[in-house]
Amino acid sequence: MRPMKNIVILISGRGSNMEAIVQAAIAERWPAKIVAVISNKAEAKGLEFAASHGIATAIVANKDYASRDEFDSALQQAIDFYQPDLVVLAGFMRILGAPFVAHYANRLLNIHPSLLPSFPGLDTHKKALEFGVKWHGATVHFVTAELDHGPIVEQAAVAVFSDDSESSLAARVLAQEHQIYPRAVRWFVHDQLQVVDGRVIVAATA
C-alpha cells in the first residue's frame, strides 16, 4: 500500500484552487492528507473553507516581519511543523526567496494563469489581450528560484475571443485551473512525477 502523503497548501485569498484540490482529494480518495492551509493574510476567505473541512489553519503575516528572509524563515518553520511531502501554492501572493525554494526542491508546486513561458508575473490576462494571442491558459509547475519558471507539470489552453475582457478570459482560465491543479497534485501523490533534465515526465499509474 502506498504511504500517505502530507500536503500543506498556501493561500492569500479565497483559495478556489485550494478548494478544488481538497474536494478532489476527498472524492478520489487520494492516499494523502491535506494537513494544513496557511495564509499570509488573516482575512483570507479560504481559511474558513479549510476550517470547515477539519483542516488545520495558520497565519504567517508577511507584514509582521521586517524582511523577506525573516518572513520566509517563519513560514518555513510553520510549514515544517506539519512534515509535508508536498507544498502547494494556491494563489499565494508572495515571492519566495531562493533558500526557501531550495528547501522544498521538487516538492513545491505553483499554478500560474498563463501558458508559461509566456507572460510570467502579474496581469497575465491583460497582457494576453494586448498581445492579441489566440490561445491563453494556465500552467502547473515546480517552483524554482526564478519567478514563474521551473519544470512544467501540466497546462491547459483556452481560446481567446475577439470580444473577451480581462474578467471573461480570467473566468475561463480559472475553470481550467480547477481541473489541472488537482490532477497535477494527484500525480505527485501517486508518485507519477519525475523531473529529468529540467523536464517533467508523467509516468503511468502503477
Side-chain angles (χ1 to χ4, degrees):
M1 177 169 293
R2 184 178 285 110
M4 292 284 287
K5 286 186 170 63
N6 290 337
I7 301 172
V8 170
I9 302 178
L10 306 186
I11 65 171
S12 292
R14 61 185 174 133
S16 67
N17 273 308
M18 176 269 295
E19 291 185 17
I21 291 167
V22 169
Q23 290 165 347
I26 294 169
E28 298 170 6
R29 298 185 178 183
W30 295 353
K33 182 179 181 182
I34 293 151
V35 290
V37 171
I38 300 174
S39 178
N40 64 316
K41 294 183 179 296
E43 65 274 18
K45 292 294 185 182
L47 295 171
E48 300 173 10
F49 174 89
S52 72
H53 283 71
I55 301 169
T57 62
I59 299 163
V60 182
N62 54 281
K63 64 182 178 61
D64 292 340
Y65 298 89
S67 69
R68 185 171 75 178
D69 287 346
E70 290 179 18
F71 169 71
D72 283 0
S73 178
L75 180 61
Q76 181 178 314
Q77 184 176 1
I79 293 169
D80 286 351
F81 174 80
Y82 296 98
Q83 298 182 307
D85 298 284
L86 177 67
V87 179
V88 175
L89 306 181
F92 187 70
M93 302 303 291
R94 295 294 299 175
I95 295 174
L96 298 165
F100 181 98
V101 171
H103 180 71
Y104 299 106
N106 291 339
R107 56 192 184 107
L108 180 62
L109 285 177
N110 182 48
I111 192 161
H112 182 73
S114 80
L115 293 172
L116 292 174
S118 296
F119 310 136
L122 300 175
D123 300 322
T124 60
H125 310 306
K126 179 181 180 182
K127 292 173 184 175
L129 293 173
E130 288 176 345
F131 276 85
V133 298
K134 305 307 180 186
W135 293 92
H136 188 43
T139 303
V140 181
H141 65 99
F142 283 107
V143 177
T144 61
E146 188 174 359
L147 179 65
D148 295 329
H149 285 68
I152 292 171
V153 178
E154 176 68 316
Q155 292 182 304
V158 301
V160 180
F161 303 131
S162 59
D163 60 349
D164 261 325
S165 64
E166 289 181 49
S167 60
S168 65
L169 185 55
R172 291 203 308 285
V173 171
L174 185 61
Q176 292 300 311
E177 291 181 32
H178 294 164
Q179 298 296 316
I180 66 172
Y181 214 178
R183 182 185 307 142
V185 175
R186 183 179 72 242
W187 285 337
F188 184 96
V189 165
H190 286 279
D191 299 319
Q192 290 177 257
L193 300 181
Q194 184 180 8
V195 180
V196 179
D197 296 329
R199 299 177 67 180
V200 175
I201 297 171
V202 182
T205 306

